[in-house]
Amino acid sequence: MEYRKNDMVTVDIEDIGMDGEGIGKAEGFTFFIKDAVIGDRVEAKVIKSKKNYAYARLEKVVTPSPFRTTPKCPLHRACGGCQIQAMDYERQLKFKQDKVKNNLLRIGGFSTEELDRVMEPIVGMEEPFRYRNKAQYPIGTDKEGNPVAGFYAGRTHSIIAGTQCYLGREENQEILETILTYMKENHVPAYEEENGKGLIRHVLIRNGFLSGEIMVCLVINCKKPSAFGYLPAQEKLVAALSSIPGMTSVSVSINTEKTNVIMGRDIHTIWGKDTITDTIRVRDMEHDMVFTGKDLTFSISPLSFYQVNPLQTEKLYSLALQYAGLTGKETVWDLYCGIGTISLFMAQAARQVYGVEIVPQAILDARDNARLNGISNAAFYVGKAEEVLPAFYNGDTAGVFSDVLNRIEQTPDKNTALHPDVIVVDPPRKGCDEACLNTMLMMQPERIVYVSCDSATLARDLRILCDGGYELKKVRPVDQFAHTVHVETVCLLSRKSPV
Ligand code: SAH
């Protein structure tokens, strides 16, 4: 049997692909169908056909799966943000638990028995909508010439108009409508990607969930401010935005480059404060996730890296803290520490924490956040984890530790930091560098806590650590991103006692 473009097929969906697509077979042929849910029988139109598999477009759900649910968002198929909104949340959680398990099996080479012993059930969300504290909307112009805010259609740069994203806060809609009304009334043009003309490129909104504070940053294509500000009729926009309850900071970010990078480095506050604050609460993950009262407050600027799902982040970090098993005597390294969120969690229960992060501004933020919370037993170093850690281990203080940002921090204590009790890593998707893993092994910490946003690289790295003398004790996925295919995982490894 051969399939051609635009052929119609009827397929029973039996599996879920890596990108959340439905997978089904018909006459020995495998079909990948975006938006089809496992358990559906669907009619689909072939888009692209290969020798024994094809991609097809969902045309009609013939028999809906028991796992199919009505998506809240009418744009969920066109928008690139959510991949599995049509799948009910319980089934999404099972999909993510299975995804982690399969990667540990296939890539990590762990056995089913071992994984059944160490894997704990995924930590889901209580409310899988309205969970994001950060939204970035591209601004464009529709066919009638009106300014629109919206979302990029999956993998493209065409804007689908819509001011309501169900993953973000409800108040974002009012903020966007306010900005669009201001643009219309004052003839402020949206940026045009094709020719680099126009003014407003993006709108960034950040919400402090516990503080209730809101930050709005308009990314603009404007080099120099006029005598009246960065924007035409700026006072009108400021008046309208500042009357929205919770509004704390309004700023502009200058970006005149022809680039996909959203934010420009240059930020000017045009109303209110430069930053908003938010609080992350430590939870007792062994006892119903109750709050322990050890809250941490963070100061967030438009450019700061900050976890986007604050409620699940509390659970993720609290789990990392539980796995670290701290009693107050320990020395801890926190590699890939960002603005020091995990480091400061650990510092409350350890003797000393050392954080390492590649972005200099994040290190400055981490130090500020330590001060803000009255924490003095956390030190932060800028550099690549795979360079800072080996340099310290090899006593090469002339290298990375002579960097200006590192020189003003006390260098790690040789007696305790060379053989720490715990090393925490939270690397980006590509995982840890081998030089970093090798140094970790040589430092022989009692425990390693691995926080991962990509279970494939996690599996690869866990294999290296286990072959190097560690035992996998616990694995627990945490869902930070409902309706997307992403899943975070926290793992505990402990050093095997020498025989
Ligand atoms: N633990 C932090 C950040 C995790 S994201 C938090 O939860 O907020 C991963 C971080 O690793 C990012 O801040 C990124 O800038 C940093 N990073 C990426 N490559 C790195 C490297 N080679 N060495 C150190 N940090 C790196």
Side-chain angles (χ1 to χ4, degrees), residues 178-188 231-233 237:
T178 301
I179 293 170
L180 293 177
T181 305
Y182 149 80
M183 288 176 69
K184 222 171 152 175
E185 287 178 358
N186 298 284
H187 309 288
V188 180
L231 301 164
L237 176 69

Side-chain angles (χ1 to χ4, degrees), residues 44-63:
K45 192 189 257 182
V46 173
I47 304 168
K48 199 159 119 191
S49 185
K50 298 277 167 123
K51 204 161 165 209
N52 44 24
Y53 66 94
Y55 297 94
R57 187 188 146 79
L58 173 64
E59 294 290 325
K60 188 175 156 200
V61 178
V62 182
T63 319

Side-chain angles (χ1 to χ4, degrees), residues 184-216:
K184 222 171 152 175
E185 287 178 358
N186 298 284
H187 309 288
V188 180
Y191 180 69
E192 291 170 43
E193 239 173 27
E194 312 76 53
N195 58 24
K197 288 194 183 132
L199 189 62
I200 316 276
R201 298 175 69 135
H202 272 86
V203 173
L204 163 77
I205 306 172
R206 299 188 105 161
N207 321 71
F209 273 38
L210 283 168
S211 66
E213 294 180 350
I214 303 172
M215 163 179 278
V216 172

